[in-house]
Amino acid sequence: MRRVLPAWTATLTWKSACFIVVMCCSLAAVLGLLVHAEVTRQTVATARDKALERLHDAALAYEAGEALPPGSGIDPQGLPPELRALAVSGQRATVVADHLGQPVMWAAAPADGRALATAIDYGQSARTIRGLDNAIIGSSLLAIGGTLLVGAFAVTRVTRRLHQTAAVARRITGGDLDARVGDPRTTDPARHQDEVSTVAGALDTMAGTLQAKLLSEQRFTADVAHELRTPLTGLQAASELLPEGRPTQLVRERVRTMRQLTEDLLEISRLDSGSERVDTDLHQLARLARRVVRASGTDTEVVVVRDAHVETDRRRLERVLGNLVANAHKHGRGPVVVTVDGPVVTVRDHGVGYPDYLLAHGPQRFRSGGRGHGLGLTIAVGQAQAIGARLEFREAEGGGALAVLTLP
């Protein structure tokens, strides 16, 4: 089974922190190794020169038959075997080894088939190297910590601006077209823009353009609907004066359809503008559902699983349920059932179900799977949002369309 990492590991801050730590550790390790190697080389070279110098003095004393200097001797105790072997073979050599629990620098040279050796204290040099290593480690940790803090501060400033831009984008997606990032770098020409401010500026420009286009479309829809109202009122009055007959009936039906379409367009325009005011009150949901069914004049069954009192706008809720019931009878097949289960109301028919595009993207204006203009469900969704409810469209088990209205 593949292991899933925690969500915070995907953040830019965490990735940047890891990158900074890895780079600092790598740099500190490389510099530390170079400094350690150079200082160790110099320290060992100094100790070797001192040991060889003392060995030279011991060799002169040995050749003159004088007493050897302190710390020198022929095949002294503790002399490393490998160094003795080199001296016996005729070579001069040095080596660092422990003697009596202390590090010493041995130097040896040949002396009549034996080894003339001397030893000097190497403890101070070893302590110097250890102190240097500890200083390198401590300074590296301090440098890494300081760099991490500074880097985290810088990265956090960038990620904070990115989070703000993402939050504004989500608000725009949710319908708040007034949302703007407002990055000061995009408005001050004296300040150079970085990549984040460029994205923020592009998002603000896109939101402004989109808002202007939507407002233009809303005004156009409202103006057209208002302009159609007057001539349609006159047409309806004139149709009432026509003699009875099939042609007159067709004219009156078309005029009623046009008037209904005009009213729907006006309602959609008001919903889009967000100018509608919600008047809430406490209502019994089952009673309200039965009233909607009676007003529809359709053969619709009402099933109450669990009644509830909800605080909502009665007119808007009746509009939502009325449109759902009308759509079920117009585009589906009976029986149509309205079920009240607490704050959830479902409307189900037994037809072919909702079109695929509607299930995927919701209702769309002037797009319908059959007769109609697709405005009824669009209005239902808009009115549901206005009262804070959630309207979902699903496929019912066993076939048919299922609309689920969840009230707050």
Side-chain angles (χ1 to χ4, degrees):
M1 183 178 178
R2 182 180 179 183
R3 183 181 179 184
V4 179
L5 296 176
W8 56 266
T9 59
T11 60
L12 183 60
T13 303
W14 185 83
K15 292 180 179 178
S16 301
C18 290
F19 176 77
I20 292 173
V21 169
V22 170
M23 293 302 297
C24 288
C25 290
S26 301
L27 182 61
V30 172
L31 292 178
L33 289 174
L34 292 177
V35 172
H36 171 82
E38 181 61 23
V39 172
T40 301
R41 185 188 67 80
Q42 294 179 3
T43 303
V44 171
T46 301
R48 179 183 295 111
D49 292 342
K50 185 176 179 181
L52 291 176
E53 182 179 355
R54 181 174 294 184
L55 178 64
H56 177 70
D57 295 340
L60 293 177
Y62 177 77
E63 291 175 357
E66 300 176 356
L68 297 178
S72 302
I74 302 296
D75 293 334
Q77 184 181 1
L79 180 65
E82 63 273 14
L83 183 60
R84 184 181 183 282
L86 289 174
V88 171
S89 65
Q91 301 182 43
R92 295 178 54 173
T94 60
V95 69
V96 176
D98 286 338
H99 180 58
L100 301 177
Q102 297 294 328
V104 296
M105 170 69 78
W106 287 96
D112 300 328
R114 293 183 295 175
L116 173 63
T118 186
I120 63 171
D121 180 35
Y122 191 74
Q124 181 61 39
S125 299
R127 287 190 293 272
T128 300
I129 294 175
R130 284 197 301 269
L132 175 65
D133 291 341
N134 293 332
I136 291 174
I137 294 174
S139 59
S140 298
L141 292 176
L142 289 176
I144 292 172
T147 305
L148 186 59
L149 289 177
V150 174
F153 173 75
V155 172
T156 302
R157 292 190 63 187
V158 175
T159 55
R160 187 185 302 117
R161 293 166 59 198
L162 288 174
H163 284 308
Q164 180 185 1
T165 304
V168 171
R170 284 191 290 269
R171 289 172 56 190
I172 294 173
T173 303
D176 183 8
L177 297 181
D178 291 324
R180 298 291 187 275
V181 179
D183 194 318
R185 294 172 180 78
T186 61
T187 57
D188 188 358
R191 303 179 65 177
H192 297 289
Q193 295 188 19
D194 56 10
E195 289 79 0
V196 179
S197 59
T198 301
V199 173
L203 180 63
D204 288 347
T205 302
M206 180 198 70
T209 304
L210 181 61
Q211 185 179 37
K213 289 184 178 180
L214 289 178
L215 290 176
S216 177
E217 291 180 0
Q218 291 172 7
R219 284 194 297 267
F220 175 77
T221 302
D223 292 343
V224 168
H226 278 293
E227 292 299 326
L228 287 176
R229 250 183 168 180
T230 301
L232 284 175
T233 302
L235 281 175
Q236 186 175 18
S239 66
E240 298 297 330
L241 302 177
L242 294 175
E244 296 296 333
R246 180 60 180 168
T248 300
Q249 184 180 0
L250 291 175
V251 170
R252 290 173 181 172
E253 289 178 357
R254 294 297 182 268
V255 171
R256 282 195 296 269
T257 301
M258 287 293 296
R259 282 184 62 86
Q260 184 60 49
L261 176 60
T262 302
E263 296 299 327
D264 289 345
L265 288 175
L266 283 172
E267 186 171 357
I268 289 176
S269 177
R270 289 192 294 267
L271 289 172
D272 288 341
S273 64
S275 60
E276 293 284 80
R277 188 170 63 90
V278 178
D279 297 322
T280 61
D281 202 353
L282 196 62
H283 299 280
Q284 187 177 355
L285 195 53
R287 181 184 300 172
L288 193 146
R290 292 191 181 97
R291 182 188 307 165
V292 170
V293 170
R294 285 196 302 269
S296 68
T298 58
D299 183 15
T300 303
E301 179 184 1
V302 179
V303 177
V304 180
V305 177
R306 179 169 55 94
D307 199 0
H309 286 80
V310 293
E311 187 175 358
T312 187
D313 189 319
R314 180 182 61 82
R315 182 184 66 83
R316 297 183 187 278
L317 181 55
E318 289 180 348
R319 178 68 159 148
V320 174
L321 295 179
N323 282 15
L324 293 177
V325 171
N327 183 81
H329 283 282
K330 187 174 184 180
H331 300 287
R333 286 200 306 267
V336 176
V337 182
V338 177
T339 304
V340 178
D341 187 3
V344 180
V345 183
T346 60
V347 179
R348 180 190 176 177
D349 63 59
H350 292 74
V352 297
Y354 292 116
D356 293 337
Y357 78 87
L358 192 147
L359 294 174
H361 307 290
Q364 300 178 21
R365 304 170 191 180
F366 298 104
R367 183 176 181 182
S368 175
R371 298 165 296 167
H373 303 93
L375 300 181
L377 294 182
T378 302
I379 292 174
V381 171
Q383 294 289 11
Q385 292 175 348
I387 61 176
R390 185 175 72 253
L391 181 56
E392 300 172 286
F393 302 97
R394 307 172 184 171
E395 288 287 349
E397 293 184 6
L402 180 67
V404 181
L405 178 67
T406 304
L407 295 164

